[in-house]
Amino acid sequence: MSFDLILFGGTGDLVWRKIMPALFQAFRHGSLPEGGRIVGVARDDLSDDQYRALIKSRFDNVELAKRPSEEEFSRFAALLGYLRMDLSNPADYAALAARLQQRPADVVVMYMATAPSLFTTVCEQIAAAGLNGPQTRVVLEKPLGHDLASNRAINKTVRSVLSEQQIFRIDHYLGKPSVQNLFALRFGNSLFEPLWRRETIANIQITIAEDLGVEKRGAFYDSTGALRDMVQNHALQLLCAIGMEPPINSHADAIRDEKLKVLRSLKPWTPETLGQHVVRGQYAAGTIDGEAVPGYRDEKGVAPDSRTETFVALRTEIANWRWAGVPFYIRTGKRLGSRDAHIEVNFRPAPHAIFKTSMAGSNVANRLVINLQPKDGLELHLLAQGADQRSGNHHARGTPSLAPVQLDLDFDKRFGSERVGAYERLLLDVLDGRLNLFVRSDEQEEAWRWVEPILDSWSSDSGAPRSYAAGSWGPSAASAMIARDGYCWSEEC
């Protein structure tokens, strides 16, 4: 299968940090189809060779195992080309069309690695240049809009020139191997499905924590914030994967229909729940790995009086028969205690205790932890009788004692070099036309509809986000929120 992959924003941060390394790994693994061309598009005045040299230099910033050798890059570079374009100039799209027509491809992928404000312009110009034929697929990065109205406007424009089957709204969390194994755990095995419900599960926690600050993205982040950047997309997609009903098959629309039902079942916000079940924070100066780091308002590009949240914690419920009454907790933030993303499924305690346990406080005896990053795998926490019962007559001394143990499956150790990264998997799915791991427009709009009352509440609130020290786990109010239900975050139990 021949393909053309056009990277709008081809000299930008996303291309060299994520997309090019993923394409190279697919090339190294032999999974990138032959007969392909990868064309970077940007305003910079570069030749093909200069673009190849730029990409080569950027690979020095990629982790060592993913860097190409001289010989590997030489072969990969043969796929790369460059075209200078002003994305608002119709004549430049005509030049792109002429270049693509030199060798027609079976599939043409237009990847929008640009500011979201350019999505509609690019899609309209693609159509005007006749580049929206049935072989064309468009990849849209998040955030797709900044609220429900802008999201609808983008979707309306894109759908006016492309069919839904040609639109790939990417959320790279859905491409993570651990998320794929969450689907496999639920729908490929019978072990947990009978337990995956309110009768046996006490609560579910989703944590997406970063120890980094805003780095060089201060200006972008200050107009976005953690709710738009992480909750509306990544966190809600993870919640859907946990909470959805089994689809009738593995087809894209069957999966996305079930995710949509979850989003529509989320409890709507009220003034009371907005006050009690949503916490926003902003990091102040602190210490990360022994080094002093500045507060958010001292970062480059951030307004000195910024009220943008760098931390969000919230509590919600899925109002249906499977999950009624089970709290789902979501938290995400920057400059937290460590880089850690995981889902924790906490099961209810045994209905009648006949053993003593060494566990204190509100620790949960039985829990399933799905690790997303930096560790990738599953942990199953159980209670077992320890080796301290040595005399054989422990019943005479009283009730036997149980201690916590865990079964740990590390996917990196188990599968090693066979692992496929998130962007690599998703890019190959685009080339193959598989929509299973991409977000449909109605899903996206429903997610925006659900978070919009939070945004509206914050915009009308003159108060600043709660401050938390860099290197901590966020404002104390996040701990108080979950403690009101009698639970605690994993690092606090």
Side-chain angles (χ1 to χ4, degrees):
M1 179 192 75
S2 61
F3 72 88
D4 287 329
L5 174 55
I6 315 304
L7 298 173
F8 292 93
T11 58
D13 183 70
L14 178 64
V15 166
W16 71 259
R17 278 194 311 110
K18 298 290 187 181
I19 300 174
M20 280 296 182
L23 289 169
F24 171 71
Q25 291 304 314
F27 175 80
R28 172 184 272 177
H29 297 153
S31 52
L32 194 66
E34 295 183 3
R37 294 188 301 182
I38 302 168
V39 181
V41 167
R43 297 177 67 103
D44 307 79
D45 192 7
L46 300 173
S47 66
D48 288 350
D49 285 341
Q50 287 173 322
Y51 184 62
R52 291 166 186 146
L54 173 66
I55 295 302
K56 182 180 180 182
S57 68
R58 296 298 194 184
F59 269 108
D60 292 339
N61 298 307
V62 175
E63 60 183 278
L64 187 60
K66 295 184 178 180
R67 293 180 196 172
S69 66
E70 288 288 335
E71 186 273 334
E72 283 178 320
F73 186 80
S74 177
R75 290 188 292 113
F76 178 66
L79 306 180
L80 303 182
Y82 183 80
L83 183 65
R84 184 188 182 280
M85 286 184 65
D86 177 348
L87 297 184
S88 63
N89 186 355
D92 287 352
Y93 290 88
L96 174 61
R99 181 157 180 169
L100 297 182
Q101 288 164 6
Q102 292 173 1
R103 189 224 62 179
D106 297 324
V107 174
V108 179
V109 175
M110 308 282 190
Y111 198 119
M112 308 296 175
T114 66
S117 59
L118 293 172
F119 289 172
T120 55
T121 298
V122 174
C123 287
E124 288 170 343
Q125 293 291 346
I126 286 172
L131 292 173
N132 60 331
Q135 80 279 16
T136 298
R137 295 162 190 164
V138 170
V139 181
L140 302 176
E141 272 281 351
K142 65 95 178 171
L144 211 62
H146 61 274
D147 57 16
L148 178 59
S150 58
N151 176 258
R152 282 175 167 167
I154 293 172
N155 279 327
K156 182 179 179 181
T157 299
V158 176
R159 284 198 303 263
S160 71
V161 298
L162 296 161
S163 71
E164 185 67 32
Q165 297 300 308
Q166 294 175 278
I167 305 169
F168 291 73
R169 299 173 188 83
I170 196 168
D171 187 323
H172 73 270
Y173 265 68
L174 293 179
K176 287 181 176 290
S178 46
V179 177
Q180 296 308 296
N181 275 295
L182 172 57
F183 285 109
L185 176 79
R186 289 203 56 198
F187 308 131
N189 299 278
S190 62
L191 181 62
F192 285 105
E193 186 56 31
L195 307 177
W196 214 257
R197 54 201 333 104
R198 60 185 175 85
E199 290 86 355
T200 49
I201 291 178
N203 69 85
I204 293 177
Q205 302 176 18
I206 300 171
T207 294
I208 307 175
E210 300 176 77
D211 55 2
L212 296 176
V214 294
E215 304 306 296
K216 299 177 181 179
R217 301 167 68 233
F220 163 79
Y221 195 90
D222 206 37
S223 63
T224 305
L227 188 72
R228 291 184 176 96
D229 191 42
M230 299 298 290
V231 176
Q232 183 273 333
N233 38 71
H234 302 327
L236 286 185
Q237 285 295 316
L238 293 176
L239 186 148
C240 287
I242 302 164
M244 64 189 279
E245 295 297 318
I248 58 173
N249 54 44
S250 61
H251 295 165
D253 278 337
I255 294 170
R256 299 193 291 185
D257 286 346
E258 297 302 334
K259 289 196 292 175
L260 180 61
K261 291 177 186 177
V262 172
L263 293 168
R264 288 177 172 168
S265 300
L266 290 175
K267 276 196 170 181
W269 296 106
T270 67
E272 182 181 13
T273 57
L274 285 168
Q276 293 185 353
H277 296 163
V278 181
V279 176
R280 63 170 173 158
Q282 187 184 90
Y283 66 82
T287 303
I288 300 285
D289 293 332
E291 294 187 11
V293 296
Y296 176 72
R297 295 183 180 183
D298 296 321
E299 300 276 18
K300 184 177 179 180
V302 175
D305 59 348
S306 173
R307 295 170 58 240
T308 299
E309 79 285 357
T310 63
F311 175 94
V312 178
L314 59 84
R315 177 197 190 277
T316 188
E317 293 181 24
I318 300 173
N320 62 18
W321 277 42
R322 180 186 289 267
W323 295 114
V326 176
F328 285 72
Y329 304 101
I330 294 172
R331 64 172 173 170
T332 183
K334 291 188 175 295
R335 289 294 190 208
L336 295 179
S338 66
R339 177 175 178 260
D340 178 26
H342 66 268
I343 301 164
E344 186 171 299
V345 180
N346 292 308
F347 293 91
R348 297 188 185 280
H352 176 62
I354 63 171
F355 298 102
K356 292 180 180 178
T357 72
S358 60
M359 303 182 68
S362 55
N363 279 356
V364 179
N366 298 152
R367 57 193 170 103
L368 175 67
V369 181
I370 300 110
N371 290 307
L372 306 175
Q373 65 181 29
K375 184 180 178 180
D376 182 6
L378 300 173
E379 298 172 15
L380 182 60
H381 295 253
L382 306 167
L383 291 176
Q385 188 163 298
D388 58 334
Q389 311 289 335
R390 286 186 284 266
S391 68
N393 62 348
H394 53 271
H395 290 288
R397 300 198 308 272
T399 304
S401 178
L402 302 182
V405 296
Q406 75 180 59
L407 304 174
D408 191 346
L409 173 58
D410 187 318
F411 289 142
D412 285 327
K413 291 180 180 177
R414 171 61 182 85
F415 299 109
S417 61
E418 302 170 35
R419 310 309 305 286
V420 176
Y423 268 96
E424 181 182 350
R425 177 186 297 274
L426 293 172
L427 285 163
L428 293 174
D429 279 359
V430 175
L431 293 174
D432 286 340
R434 292 193 297 266
L435 284 156
N436 299 47
L437 303 180
F438 296 85
V439 183
R440 204 167 57 192
S441 62
D442 51 3
E443 283 183 78
Q444 209 169 55
E445 290 181 14
E446 196 62 46
W448 275 116
R449 182 180 290 108
W450 187 74
V451 302
E452 197 160 65
I454 304 175
L455 294 170
D456 291 343
S457 172
W458 289 348
S459 66
S460 62
D461 181 3
S462 60
R466 298 172 186 270
S467 179
Y468 64 96
S472 70
W473 280 97
S476 59
S479 300
M481 178 191 72
I482 192 171
R484 283 195 292 269
D485 291 336
Y487 304 125
C488 56
W489 299 108
S490 54
E491 76 280 355
E492 298 173 338
C493 292

